[in-house]
Amino acid sequence: MDKLLVHGGTPIHGAITISGSKNASLPILAAALLTDQDVVIRRVPDVSDTNYMVQILTGLGADVERFSGTVRVTAADISDTAPYDIVRRMRASVCMMGPLLARKRRCVVALPGGCVIGDRPIDLHIRGLEALGATTEFEGGNVILSAPGGLKGATVDLCGENGPTVLGTDNVMMAATLAEGTTTITSAACEPEVVDLADFLNSMGARISGAGTSTITIEGVGELHGTVHNVIPDRIEAGTFMVAAALAGEGVTLRRVHEGHLVAITSALRKAGHQVHFNDNGDACTIHRGDTPMPAEISTDPYPGYPTDMQAQMTALFATTPGTSRVTDTIFPQRFMHCAELKRMGADIHVADGQAQITGVKKLSGAPVMASDLRASAALVLAALTAEGTTEINRLYHIDRGYEHIDEKLEALGANVERVRV
Ligand code: EPU
């Protein structure tokens, strides 16, 4: 279990390149199971979640090669059962259900269970796949979906209590590509990662329109073929470094970003008094810490709203922003584990009913802290950049799940960080 030592107080500056999106790569890797032909996916970030996904594909019998960001998958002959040992390590493995069911007409996938950010049910995924004609059984901790006669197009609404579901939309969209007839998903998630998956599937011969809006239409086709695809930049990694720059930056440039995907994050940072400038192409941005940082109120929302995956990082920024800020998470109202650790560093935060009220303190102080999930760990790293003294972030594997070489990128910007291999 590696840990990260962050010696706070060193300003960061310079330029780094943002990696491919983890949350786009995971369903795209799963979608490679929809064809027996070669699929080449480029810019897959080297993080442990994509490694788990590669292990799942291999466990299912696919032939997978990985070399410097490119993954080639050939799923000529695959089984219908996703092994529990790996599924339990990564909740996103539920996005195997759609492609396996479509290709094999049956799948057995271990139920993922809850995680530290909340309960995380999969009822909407099941509702969507059942609408396409699948029957469901739950047995021995697994969900078994069957559609021996093949799937049939239908109209499916995927809105839950907390809004649309991203991986649920992905699952139904993937399954519907090979269903007979037309499927319409209403209340679909509009996230850029869903659009990237739709683009990938269309490049394999699928007929999907409307991705990126709340209504997606999929006309089923007989089969899909191989393709080559470049994954979109990781907007959450970009957002995390944007906050790092707002905290400790003297001019930080992020290359290979997508301006359109960063609107909510950019506007939150500007509201908090920091400067963000995009180049004319909208594929690079430079962030300067503002002279007079201001408190703000942020509430997460499905895309194009402010992302839940960026609320912990913003909480870290507000911890040393003068005045009182509020961060509300409507998507995962229990996702505030980072606050207890930030308080150990001296932050003044009160959490109640899915909202953190943060009163900025002058300085945080370095302390040993415990990472609890991916984005919570990122928040601790950010807080540590300006804290007095050294912060020791334990359980670094959480951050390695979704940030490609974060220590090397921070070092490239001049931060004083050290990975200790334990
Ligand atoms: N929900 C249900 N029923 C379902 C599915 C979801 O009630 O069947 C609820 C959830 O409990 C939550 C809301 O719907 O309140 C949205 O959850 P969603 O299904 O959209 O989450 P997800 O698809 O499982 C993806 C990302 C998460 C990100 C969420 C929300 C991937 C691999 N994961 O999860 O990313 O927080 O969308 O944007 O794409 C992360 O990267 O750190 C991460 C957790």
Side-chain angles (χ1 to χ4, degrees):
M1 276 205 227
D2 290 2
K3 56 186 172 187
L4 190 71
L5 301 181
V6 181
H7 310 289
T10 313
I12 58 171
H13 51 86
I16 53 165
T17 300
I18 294 303
S19 303
S21 160
K22 165 187 85 88
N23 285 350
S25 298
L26 295 174
I28 286 175
L29 285 164
L33 295 173
L34 286 162
T35 178
D36 58 3
Q37 297 183 11
D38 279 9
V39 167
V40 175
I41 308 160
R42 298 192 184 121
R43 298 197 185 142
V44 175
D46 179 17
V47 294
S48 47
D49 271 11
T50 61
N51 285 327
Y52 291 145
M53 193 51 100
V54 163
Q55 286 174 41
I56 296 177
L57 297 179
T58 311
L60 287 165
D63 180 22
V64 187
E65 276 174 39
R66 186 172 192 160
F67 40 94
S68 70
T70 297
V71 180
R72 191 188 54 75
V73 183
T74 315
D77 186 18
I78 51 166
S79 114
D80 61 11
T81 303
Y84 173 66
D85 262 8
I86 306 251
V87 170
R88 75 185 163 82
R89 289 154 80 176
M90 184 178 65
R91 196 194 171 278
S93 16
V94 293
C95 69
M96 283 293 135
M97 291 192 301
L100 278 182
L101 179 63
R103 174 93 186 268
K104 304 294 290 182
R105 299 187 168 192
R106 179 178 185 273
C107 72
V108 183
V109 177
L111 287 164
C115 76
V116 73
I117 69 174
D119 190 21
R120 311 200 72 184
I122 58 162
D123 56 311
L124 298 169
H125 301 236
I126 303 286
R127 185 210 285 174
L129 296 172
E130 282 181 343
L132 300 186
T135 57
T136 316
E137 283 169 78
F138 295 92
E139 201 181 279
N142 297 316
V143 54
I144 305 168
L145 289 152
S146 321
L151 296 168
K152 295 207 170 34
T155 295
V156 185
D157 188 86
L158 288 181
C159 193
E161 255 174 54
N162 298 340
T165 162
V166 175
L167 290 177
T169 301
D170 290 346
N171 253 330
V172 176
M173 191 164 73
M174 290 188 276
T177 57
L178 296 180
E180 191 190 318
T182 302
T183 299
T184 304
I185 305 177
T186 56
S187 308
C190 301
E191 269 66 7
E193 295 76 18
V194 174
V195 178
D196 202 27
L197 174 64
D199 289 345
F200 172 75
L201 292 166
N202 282 339
S203 76
M204 295 170 81
R207 300 182 64 186
I208 302 171
S209 56
T213 75
S214 57
T215 304
I216 302 179
T217 306
I218 308 113
E219 284 173 51
V221 296
E223 58 180 18
L224 297 179
H225 53 72
T227 188
V228 178
H229 182 80
N230 292 329
V231 172
I232 55 169
D234 195 312
R235 64 192 168 102
I236 306 300
E237 187 201 18
T240 302
F241 278 102
M242 287 166 86
V243 174
L247 267 163
E250 290 177 345
V252 169
T253 297
L254 306 177
R255 294 182 291 242
R256 209 197 286 148
V257 297
H258 191 311
E259 181 176 3
H261 297 169
L262 295 169
V263 172
I265 299 168
T266 300
S267 115
L269 284 172
R270 286 183 178 149
K271 222 163 61 173
H274 305 286
Q275 289 135 36
V276 184
H277 296 287
F278 283 87
N279 66 356
D280 289 345
N281 295 334
D283 62 3
C285 64
T286 301
I287 306 96
H288 289 268
R289 177 172 168 79
D291 295 332
T292 45
M294 288 176 291
E297 300 213 357
I298 281 166
S299 179
T300 67
D301 251 323
Y303 190 84
Y306 188 84
T308 170
D309 290 345
M310 277 299 301
Q311 64 90 339
Q313 299 87 320
M314 203 54 106
T315 304
L317 174 66
F318 291 146
T320 50
T321 299
T324 297
S325 300
R326 282 183 192 81
V327 174
T328 307
D329 199 325
T330 58
I331 297 171
F332 293 116
Q334 298 166 46
R335 195 177 200 178
F336 286 99
M337 297 289 282
H338 48 284
C339 292
E341 297 302 297
L342 290 172
K343 279 158 89 168
R344 297 191 56 255
M345 297 173 72
D348 180 353
I349 308 179
H350 177 71
V351 179
D353 304 326
Q355 186 183 74
Q357 180 176 301
I358 311 123
T359 304
V361 296
K362 264 211 149 76
K363 270 258 174 248
L364 296 177
S365 61
V369 288
M370 213 47 104
S372 57
D373 76 74
L374 174 57
R375 309 304 172 188
S377 344
L380 298 177
V381 173
L382 295 178
L385 289 175
T386 53
E388 228 154 41
T390 299
T391 302
E392 178 183 310
I393 297 154
N394 292 285
R395 298 196 190 150
L396 202 57
Y397 60 87
H398 283 295
I399 211 160
D400 290 334
R401 292 186 56 181
Y403 288 92
E404 186 173 58
H405 311 149
I406 192 168
D407 45 333
E408 290 170 22
K409 289 190 180 184
L410 285 168
E411 267 178 350
L413 294 175
N416 192 348
V417 300
E418 236 177 294
R419 178 184 286 263
V420 181
R421 300 200 185 267
V422 184

